């Protein structure tokens, strides 16, 4: 069992996958008040260290943990944004805030467990990813990485890059490559219609196929639709979106009790896929 901190915690996708693998959470950081409500409804956080804003965390207050988990914001990296500033952007640049904390803490974690959109490999012609690796190297971490599609684990086409930083001098286990599971043959896009609802393109997919990558779906008008056997189409429900990120229904029910549907859609789109986190987390260990 390893201990970990859940930075940029969201609704706890990292935490759920890590705990499924037998690891123990010591604390979490999350600035979004609605995501915190879901997180604290789902998990028993009583007595844990927590902070709202990663920029205001004092290094001396951070608990010693074996792993720091961080799915730092992809806002300035994702191709969904017209102007991508990459790691120089205000949101995605919070990665460097974590690097600054690593410089100042007394005991660095044995692992850094990082997730982001696979566009990180190409923004600023690849310089952003090179800078990420250089920053990790400067803090004494050797990195390995792999792009994994959630479609091998859930019914969602979601390609993400996962990076593991290994602190030098610690006997950590190599994690990648993880055998790639592929269910791409299941993807059956039935139709694409130029029907706009609040400027949102409606996409309709086979009920037996894969859902496209979930987004934050602001306002509840961007949910993919599925085609039912009777020929009718309907949008995915918040519960279905959470299932497509690997969350069990009991977790969704707790979050639904404290948040609106629009927030639940947004939270699903912002989350990591629990099943993929678990697949990686169970390979994390520090040998004596």
């Amino acid at each position: 069992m390893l201990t970990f901190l859940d930075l940029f915690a969201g609704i706890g996708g990292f935490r759920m996958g890590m705990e499924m693998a037998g690891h123990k959470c010591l604390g979490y950081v999350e600035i979004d008040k609605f995501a915190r409500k879901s997180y604290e409804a789902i998990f028993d956080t009583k007595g844990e260290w927590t902070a709202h804003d990663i920029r205001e965390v004092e290094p001396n207050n951070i608990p010693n943990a074996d792993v720091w988990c961080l799915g730092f914001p992809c806002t300035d990296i994702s191709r969904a944004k017209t102007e991508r500033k990459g790691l120089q952007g205000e949101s995605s640049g919070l990665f460097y805030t974590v690097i600054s904390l690593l410089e100042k803490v007394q005991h660095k974690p044995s692992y850094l467990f990082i997730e982001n959109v696979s566009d990180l490999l190409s923004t600023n012609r690849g310089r952003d990813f090179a800078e990420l690796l250089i920053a990790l190297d400067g803090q004494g971490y050797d990195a390995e990485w792999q792009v994994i599609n959630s479609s091998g684990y859930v019914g969602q086409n979601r390609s993400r890059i996962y990076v593991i930083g290994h602190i030098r001098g610690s006997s950590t286990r190599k994690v990648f490559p993880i055998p790639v599971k592929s269910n791409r043959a299941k993807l059956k896009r039935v139709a694409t219609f130029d029907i706009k609802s609040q400027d949102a393109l409606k996409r309709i997919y086979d009920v037996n196929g894969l859902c496209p990558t979930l987004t934050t779906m602001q306002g509840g008008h961007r949910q993919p639709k599925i085609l039912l056997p009777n020929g009718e189409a309907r949008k995915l429900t918040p519960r279905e979106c959470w299932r497509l990120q690997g969350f069990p229904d009991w977790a969704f029910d707790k979050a639904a009790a404290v948040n609106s549907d629009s927030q639940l859609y947004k939270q699903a789109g912002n989350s990591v896929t629990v099943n993929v986190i678990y697949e990686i987390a169970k390979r994390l260990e520090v040998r004596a």
Side-chain angles (χ1 to χ4, degrees):
M1 180 192 76
L2 302 180
T3 57
F4 68 94
L5 296 180
D6 198 2
L7 311 181
F8 309 104
I11 55 175
F14 259 110
R15 179 170 183 153
M16 183 158 288
M18 289 287 284
E19 289 186 344
M20 286 168 58
H23 306 309
K24 178 178 175 58
C25 186
L26 299 183
Y28 58 102
V29 180
E30 176 52 50
I31 195 169
D32 184 279
K33 66 179 182 180
F34 298 107
R36 285 183 69 93
K37 286 172 66 176
S38 287
Y39 190 101
E40 292 168 355
I42 294 169
F43 302 102
D44 180 9
T45 61
K46 186 176 180 180
E48 291 182 357
W49 172 81
T50 188
H52 289 254
D53 192 334
I54 191 73
R55 295 167 296 187
E56 297 176 0
V57 171
E58 294 292 335
N60 293 337
N61 294 334
I62 300 176
N64 295 336
D66 300 309
V67 187
W68 285 12
C69 299
L70 53 143
F72 66 93
C74 68
T75 312
D76 303 298
I77 298 170
S78 173
R79 68 187 64 186
K81 187 150 186 172
T82 305
E83 294 184 11
R84 297 190 290 173
K85 295 183 179 180
L87 293 184
Q88 302 308 313
E90 182 178 355
S91 295
S92 298
L94 291 174
F95 165 75
Y96 290 115
T97 302
V98 177
I99 294 298
S100 179
L101 290 172
L102 282 170
E103 290 177 348
K104 299 170 184 175
V105 293
Q106 187 174 359
H107 298 286
K108 293 182 181 180
S110 297
Y111 289 104
L112 299 177
F113 186 176
I114 302 170
E115 178 267 1
N116 213 289
V117 294
S118 55
D119 293 337
L120 178 60
L121 290 168
S122 59
T123 52
N124 291 319
R125 297 183 177 180
R127 286 194 296 271
D128 283 327
F129 191 63
E131 289 178 7
L132 179 146
L133 296 178
I134 290 169
L136 296 185
D137 177 75
Q139 293 306 309
Y141 288 88
D142 296 319
E144 58 171 329
W145 61 91
Q146 183 175 344
V147 174
I148 300 175
N149 197 314
S150 297
S151 64
Y153 303 88
V154 294
Q156 180 190 178
N157 186 32
R158 189 182 190 88
S159 180
R160 294 293 185 265
I161 185 168
Y162 298 88
V163 180
I164 298 293
H166 302 258
I167 191 72
R168 295 189 196 107
S170 179
S171 184
T172 54
R173 176 187 178 186
K174 183 175 171 59
V175 172
F176 302 128
I178 290 175
V180 176
K181 296 182 179 181
S182 178
N183 290 329
R184 288 183 181 273
K186 290 174 55 181
L187 180 58
K188 299 177 183 177
R189 187 164 72 177
V190 176
T192 301
F193 297 92
D194 288 323
I195 299 174
K196 292 188 176 182
S197 173
Q198 296 199 4
D199 296 323
L201 185 66
K202 296 300 182 183
R203 293 174 294 180
I204 300 182
Y205 289 79
D206 192 296
V207 69
N208 296 313
L210 290 176
C211 173
T213 304
L214 294 176
T215 66
T216 56
M217 296 170 279
Q218 294 284 12
H221 297 289
R222 296 180 180 271
Q223 306 91 338
K225 287 187 175 182
I226 55 174
L227 187 69
L228 302 175
N230 63 5
E232 296 180 357
R234 65 165 178 80
K235 66 184 181 181
L236 295 175
T237 66
R239 181 185 300 276
E240 288 167 335
C241 291
W242 278 55
R243 287 174 177 170
L244 286 167
Q245 289 288 44
F247 284 91
D249 282 353
W250 65 261
F252 172 80
D253 289 337
K254 289 187 175 183
V258 297
N259 267 311
S260 66
D261 280 359
S262 62
Q263 288 297 327
L264 295 168
Y265 278 125
K266 176 183 176 182
Q267 290 166 10
N270 276 333
S271 181
V272 295
T273 304
V274 173
N275 313 58
V276 180
I277 297 300
Y278 167 70
E279 194 68 25
I280 298 170
K282 68 185 183 181
R283 290 168 167 79
L284 299 178
E285 63 180 47
V286 179
R287 299 187 178 95

